[in-house]
Each structure stands twice: as structure tokens, then as C-alpha cells.
Amino acid sequence: MNFLRVTEENIASEHICCALADKKTSRGVALKKEWLQNRFQEGLIFQKADVQGKVFIEYLPAENAWCPIYAAGYMFINCFWVAGKYQKKGYGTMLLKQCMQAAAGKNGLVIISSNKKRPYLADKAYLLKKGFEVVDQAPPYFELLVQRFKSAAPLPSFKACAKTNKIEKSKGLTVVYTDQCPYVDHYIHSELDAIGTEFEIPIKRIKIDRKEQAQNAHVPFTTYSAFYNSEFLTHEILTKAKFKKLWDQFQLQK
């Protein structure tokens, strides 16, 4: 397996692994590439397998992470994904090893996961096998995992703002998001409009477009987080069907 690094020089010609055959996400891919280009200047590394699939890792110094954490001196893994036929072949281990090598001299690696396996979040069970440990939690299910390279290094933690589990008073469905994921753009527009119409509720979109905003967010996962009547609902990208399930499950009220 060959691996390559996506950089400012080749990002125009290289795919970024996600949304490879999904035409409705083409604008989201362009936005993600623009986001990456700006992060390259802040030390972000995007390493991937040279295949047509989701085999990649994306990381940057934790001081520049779009995440409300205290983790000075660490490397933050922003996204780590091996999917489909490429799973269980050791490629994740190879990518993680490359990340560790890039982080040599730092305090260690830090990443967001959850109390059980959930979409869009790194698999906790896998990370624990690779030497990570849980060092902090944020409601309702987020966990901060770390692999320390230096035993005396201070443990990272979520900021207090990430543990509030709510945003300022807001009626209906509010989604806080960034351009970090190419899938978000399509669903933040057409799907939210459909949800608003179907359930007759107000829809509000809050885009985070600066690192400082993300580092002071009211939820650990800034890529996409939905709130209903100000309370955290889910970090998973909503479709009308998914929202209907949550509507029934939690008996949401208008």
C-alpha cells in the first residue's frame, strides 16, 4: 500500500477520500478543500492511502484544533477513517504510526471519541487497543482520549464550555457546523429546510468559520452538532428520517 500526503501543491488534483461518488456533495468537497488549505498553514497534515476509498488520517497541533480542549503540546487527530474493504488490513495502524512519527517530541496524541461506537467519531475500542486512555468526558456521550508520549505531561481536558450541553436560548432546531466535513454542506441546507417544513419548527444555522469560535464552542464536536430548543440533540448529520426518529424517541415538542 502506498501512502501520500495531500498538500497545498496537490490538493487540487487529489481527492480527499470522503464523498467520492456523491455528486450532491461537490460543493461540500470544495469547501472542505478550502478549509484544509487554510489549515495547512497552521500545521495540519492530511495523510491518505493512494486508493479510491476512505483510508486517511488528518491531524494538527492541538493549539490549532477546531475543538474546545486544553491540550497544549499535543497533536490533535481531527479525523481518522478506514472504511469498507480496507478495514482490518493494518492500514489504520500504518496511518496512526505515521501520525506518531510526525508528533515526535510532543506530549502525545489526543482525539475525540464516545462512550460507544458512533458515526463520525473515532472508535474508542480500537483506540484503547492502540494505547489510548480516556481522560475526560463531556455530556451526553463525548470522551477525550489521549496517548501520552511523556509520562509527566499534563493530561488534556475539555473546556468548561464544551460540557454545558446547550446553547443560548433558541427555539426549534439549531445546527452548529463548520466546513470540516464535505457531507455537511448539502444536508445543512436542503435537509434542514425539509425538516422545518415537515415538522413546522424554526430552523437556525450557525456556521463556525474561525478557530477561536470553535475553541470556545458549547459542544466538543464542532463539525456538526444539532440542538433542539437549545438542548444538545445529536452530532450526527440529520436527514428528515433521522430527525423523525429522534422526534419520536425523545417526544420533542414544538
Side-chain angles (χ1 to χ4, degrees):
M1 175 65 70
N2 293 321
F3 293 89
L4 61 87
R5 180 171 170 177
V6 177
T7 65
E8 290 182 88
E9 288 71 33
N10 65 12
I11 193 170
S13 58
E14 290 291 340
H15 72 76
I16 53 172
C17 298
C18 299
L20 291 173
D22 198 340
K23 292 182 179 179
K24 64 177 178 288
T25 61
S26 58
R27 198 178 100 100
V29 169
L31 290 170
K32 167 71 173 186
K33 284 191 172 186
E34 182 180 353
W35 186 88
L36 285 171
Q37 285 178 311
N38 292 327
R39 304 290 78 74
F40 289 148
Q41 301 167 23
E42 299 173 348
L44 184 142
I45 295 175
F46 189 107
Q47 198 83 13
K48 69 169 186 172
D50 191 13
V51 296
Q52 285 293 110
K54 301 178 183 70
V55 188
F56 71 99
I57 191 168
E58 176 186 317
Y59 49 92
L60 76 170
E63 292 83 354
N64 293 325
W66 282 44
C67 177
I69 57 173
Y70 294 114
Y74 283 84
M75 187 74 84
F76 179 77
I77 300 176
N78 194 56
C79 197
F80 181 25
W81 196 3
V82 177
K85 64 183 180 180
Y86 301 106
Q87 292 181 320
K88 298 182 179 180
K89 296 182 182 295
Y91 301 142
T93 299
M94 295 177 193
L95 289 170
L96 193 58
K97 184 177 180 180
Q98 291 174 354
C99 177
M100 293 174 67
Q101 291 171 343
K106 289 189 174 292
N107 291 332
L109 307 178
V110 62
I111 188 171
I112 293 177
S113 185
S114 58
N115 58 357
K116 68 178 185 179
K117 192 169 184 179
R118 299 177 191 272
Y120 306 106
L121 294 174
D123 184 359
K124 174 184 174 181
Y126 173 84
L127 293 170
L128 292 177
K129 290 178 182 178
K130 296 300 178 181
F132 284 76
E133 59 179 316
V134 178
V135 293
D136 203 4
Q137 295 90 23
Y141 48 67
F142 295 103
E143 294 186 340
L144 193 65
L145 276 70
V146 66
Q147 183 178 134
R148 280 189 291 179
F149 299 163
K150 303 174 182 178
S151 59
L155 289 174
S157 64
F158 287 119
K159 291 183 177 180
C161 59
K163 298 184 178 183
T164 60
N165 206 31
K166 62 176 64 177
I167 55 175
E168 294 181 5
K169 191 173 182 180
S170 181
K171 189 72 173 176
L173 180 63
T174 300
V175 175
V176 179
Y177 70 102
T178 70
D179 289 330
Q180 295 178 75
C181 175
Y183 290 105
V184 168
D185 179 71
H186 169 75
Y187 292 96
I188 202 72
H189 295 295
S190 62
E191 286 294 331
L192 290 188
D193 286 342
I195 290 170
T197 300
E198 176 77 16
F199 295 90
E200 299 180 334
I201 57 173
I203 299 294
K204 185 177 182 180
R205 303 166 178 87
I206 301 176
K207 183 175 182 179
I208 295 175
D209 54 17
R210 291 184 296 109
K211 175 181 66 179
E212 292 75 17
Q213 287 176 282
Q215 292 181 346
N216 290 284
H218 292 283
V219 66
F221 193 70
T222 59
T223 304
Y224 183 107
S225 283
F227 298 79
Y228 189 77
N229 289 346
S230 300
E231 299 287 338
F232 179 78
L233 185 62
T234 183
H235 77 285
E236 296 183 40
I237 297 174
L238 288 173
T239 62
K240 191 166 64 172
K242 282 185 180 180
F243 185 77
K244 174 64 165 60
K245 185 176 180 180
L246 292 170
W247 180 276
D248 295 336
Q249 180 181 352
F250 295 108
Q251 297 182 328
L252 303 178
Q253 301 296 318
K254 296 180 185 178

